[in-house]
Amino acid sequence: GAGVSQSPSNKVTEKGKDVELRCDPISGHTALYWYRQSLGQGLEFLIYFQGNSAPDKSGLPSDRFSAERTGGSVSTLTIQRTQQEDSAVYLCASSLGGTSGGAYNEQFFGPGTRLTVL
Amino acid sequence: GESVGLHLPTLSVQEGDNSIINCAYSNSASDYFIWYKQESGKGPQFIIDIRSNMDKRQGQRVTVLLNKTVKHLSLQIAATQPGDSAVYFCAERRANDYKLSFGAGTTVTVRA
């Protein structure tokens, strides 16, 4: 079975441009997450989707960041007017979700999109 | 504030030896503690989790120990192999919450 896929794998853009990052979760996974990982750092939570709704957008660093999910599947993370501090690896993960037990503990991560803002 | 962190940023281990990776946490309200492994160029991969009402859990070649008294979590890897070279993250989660809070990571290098 296919894992989580992300595209593009690498993106180089100029400051001020908009970028879209795509995530294809594992089929049947209702929960989807976006994280950001700066060089040598841990994972910073950005946003969580349950189905198509995003009950928690608290991790988005500014209003330049937005995300959507359609059909309970593919998600896109959009960064408008990119800044150099946006340079990082953007990771998407999915999980079965559910409210009981450790259902959210095992998240399946994609390989990430490395974003470089010049 | 609440945080999950690691004692040491790097660990060098001889192949075949046992590895111990440590993690300190401050959020006593966490219900789950989880270990992830991230190989170079890949996303993190789930290794094992432990619920806060347990103090030990074993998996394949790995054991997680939880000491709630001192808020300490450790991951033990038996007979470390070259394929174990990676960055290891501890994370915590509260029940009824979907969010994982990750620590900064420990880089494990296995010497041949």
Side-chain angles (χ1 to χ4, degrees):
Chain A
V4 177
S5 61
Q6 293 186 245
S7 61
S9 56
N10 281 284
K11 177 70 176 179
V12 180
T13 190
E14 293 179 347
K15 177 182 174 181
K17 300 285 189 182
D18 298 351
V19 295
E20 273 193 1
L21 312 179
R22 177 188 169 106
C23 172
D24 280 273
I26 292 173
S27 178
H29 281 190
T30 58
L32 186 145
Y33 317 78
W34 283 98
Y35 295 87
R36 180 167 69 175
Q37 186 174 31
S38 300
L39 185 62
Q41 300 298 311
L43 279 72
E44 175 189 4
F45 169 82
L46 297 179
I47 188 170
Y48 157 74
F49 286 91
Q50 179 60 43
N52 289 337
S53 64
D56 188 354
K57 304 178 182 179
S58 63
L60 294 177
S62 76
D63 59 7
R64 296 185 296 104
F65 288 72
S66 63
E68 65 175 14
R69 188 180 186 193
T70 56
S73 182
V74 172
S75 176
T76 55
L77 177 68
T78 301
I79 309 173
Q80 295 178 308
R81 304 181 302 281
T82 52
Q83 303 294 313
Q84 289 183 333
E85 60 263 29
D86 299 334
S87 295
V89 175
Y90 288 82
L91 290 159
C92 174
S94 69
S95 71
L96 287 170
T99 57
S100 62
Y104 289 106
N105 291 352
E106 185 170 7
Q107 298 182 11
F108 295 81
F109 284 82
T113 293
R114 181 176 297 279
L115 175 65
T116 303
V117 182
L118 302 176
Chain B
E2 300 165 344
S3 65
V4 181
L6 295 169
H7 286 308
L8 294 173
T10 62
L11 177 67
S12 180
V13 183
Q14 184 68 40
E15 181 179 357
D17 287 352
N18 296 335
S19 304
I20 300 176
I21 307 165
N22 295 305
C23 178
Y25 66 94
S26 59
N27 185 1
S28 58
S30 296
D31 295 290
Y32 295 96
F33 299 91
I34 309 106
W35 283 99
Y36 276 80
K37 169 187 179 183
Q38 186 175 25
E39 297 176 69
S40 181
K42 297 183 179 180
Q45 179 181 11
F46 174 89
I47 302 173
I48 192 168
D49 60 358
I50 187 168
R51 189 159 184 161
S52 60
N53 61 355
M54 302 170 64
D55 53 20
K56 181 179 180 179
R57 190 176 185 201
Q58 289 186 291
Q60 186 176 10
R61 274 201 313 119
V62 296
T63 301
V64 57
L65 299 178
L66 177 62
N67 185 331
K68 293 182 289 293
T69 302
V70 295
K71 296 180 182 177
H72 183 267
L73 180 74
S74 69
L75 178 71
Q76 300 178 1
I77 305 173
T80 311
Q81 303 170 359
D84 295 326
S85 292
V87 179
Y88 290 80
F89 295 95
C90 62
E92 58 92 9
R93 185 176 78 83
R94 283 174 280 184
N96 300 320
D97 192 0
Y98 46 81
K99 192 182 304 184
L100 297 180
S101 295
F102 285 85
T106 292
T107 301
V108 173
T109 302
V110 181
R111 306 188 307 273

